[in-house]
Amino acid sequence: MEDFQQQYAANGFVALPPVLSDATIDTLVDALTAWSAQAPPATKEYGILQFNLHQQLSCFQDVLSKKALGALAAAVLGVESVTLFQDNLIWKPPGTTGRVQWHQDYAYWPLSAPSGLTMWLALDDVTEEMGCLHYIPGSHAEGEKQPTNFISPGSPSWRQDLPPLEWPTQEHRAVVAPLQRGHLLVHHPLSWHMSPGNTTARHRRAWSLTFITDDVRWDPEHAPHPFNHFQSPVSGSAVEGPLFPRFSGRSTPHPTGGA
Ligand SMILES: O=C(O)CCC(=O)C(=O)O
């Protein structure tokens, strides 16, 4: 784990070996196939985005309740425990043309601090042509930048006091991060990252989870977010409750095949 922690600290992202079994990944993919057949989700130019997937499909909830992912997040961060803030499905079907533009995840969180990580679990083998993640190494150390409109043209209206995220001058040093099915990437809330479209005939599905550390509080002024509407959080209060499961770092992540 120390090697992974060092790479994470230096680069702001690191790839991790699987902690879920092939059979578990099959179950998740089968559930997505059935879900999308039943009520085809809206497909935009950047693909399909489904907020809080674990609240919609019980097998994603089941994976969380086995605690391997939460324990892994806590282990990478070297903390006692973490809380799941949100999760998203990001699905680029064949022919998805739009890219997810360069951004920092924290720009969109109604939270007091960029403390935690995003965990990105590949549900398919993801090559560069399929729209894998790209990172600017070390960018997490450059502080918070202006939000970008990462899924459509135009500029967000909030936090214009921050310096712009000048990705055109940095893109040439991006690291491309293809990933095998079942493997994971974790990245820092301030790490600059993007993904291009999917030019292949294969599906590119990923489950992205945001884990935060115990000191993070609600700050609805920091960014617009769905939770600001249906949770009505009070600024400064703890992020807790049934929607926000907490995970101890002490439970050792299951080795491959264990969950
Ligand atoms: O999956 C993608 O294409 C983008 C994912 C992303 O930006 C994230 O999980 O933070």
Side-chain angles (χ1 to χ4, degrees), residues 100-156:
V100 172
Q101 190 51 278
W102 287 102
H103 65 281
Q104 295 176 312
D105 290 346
Y106 179 57
Y108 315 95
W109 299 348
L111 299 175
S112 63
S115 182
L117 55 73
T118 296
M119 178 176 284
W120 195 89
L121 170 66
L123 299 173
D124 297 290
D125 286 333
V126 182
T127 62
E128 185 169 3
E129 297 71 31
M130 292 168 77
C132 70
L133 291 183
H134 293 45
Y135 293 100
I136 307 288
S139 54
H140 65 302
E142 290 176 31
E144 190 180 355
K145 307 291 182 195
Q146 275 176 25
T148 61
N149 204 332
F150 65 100
I151 47 179
S152 47
S155 296

Side-chain angles (χ1 to χ4, degrees), residues 90 92 100 103 105 118 120 131 133 187 193 195 204 206 208:
I90 308 150
K92 293 181 187 238
V100 172
H103 65 281
D105 290 346
T118 296
W120 195 89
L133 291 183
H187 58 250
H193 59 287
S195 66
R204 194 228 79 164
S208 172

Side-chain angles (χ1 to χ4, degrees), residues 4 7 13-19 25 69 72 90 118-135 175-187 194-196 202-209:
F4 294 126
Q7 286 180 55
F13 65 93
V14 66
L16 301 168
V19 291
I25 303 291
L69 298 182
L72 182 61
I90 308 150
T118 296
M119 178 176 284
W120 195 89
L121 170 66
L123 299 173
D124 297 290
D125 286 333
V126 182
T127 62
E128 185 169 3
E129 297 71 31
M130 292 168 77
C132 70
L133 291 183
H134 293 45
Y135 293 100
V175 171
V176 180
L179 207 62
Q180 281 172 269
R181 177 183 192 266
H183 289 235
L184 303 118
L185 281 160
V186 289
H187 58 250
M194 64 79 73
S195 66
R202 282 163 291 151
H203 286 278
R204 194 228 79 164
R205 288 160 287 207
W207 187 23
S208 172
L209 306 105

Side-chain angles (χ1 to χ4, degrees), residues 26-36 57 59-60:
D26 283 344
T27 303
L28 299 179
V29 170
D30 289 350
L32 289 178
T33 306
W35 167 77
S36 63
L57 295 178
C59 58
F60 285 83

Side-chain angles (χ1 to χ4, degrees), residues 30-49:
D30 289 350
L32 289 178
T33 306
W35 167 77
S36 63
Q38 204 177 29
T43 306
K44 306 271 177 59
E45 63 280 6
Y46 53 81
I48 298 161
L49 193 61

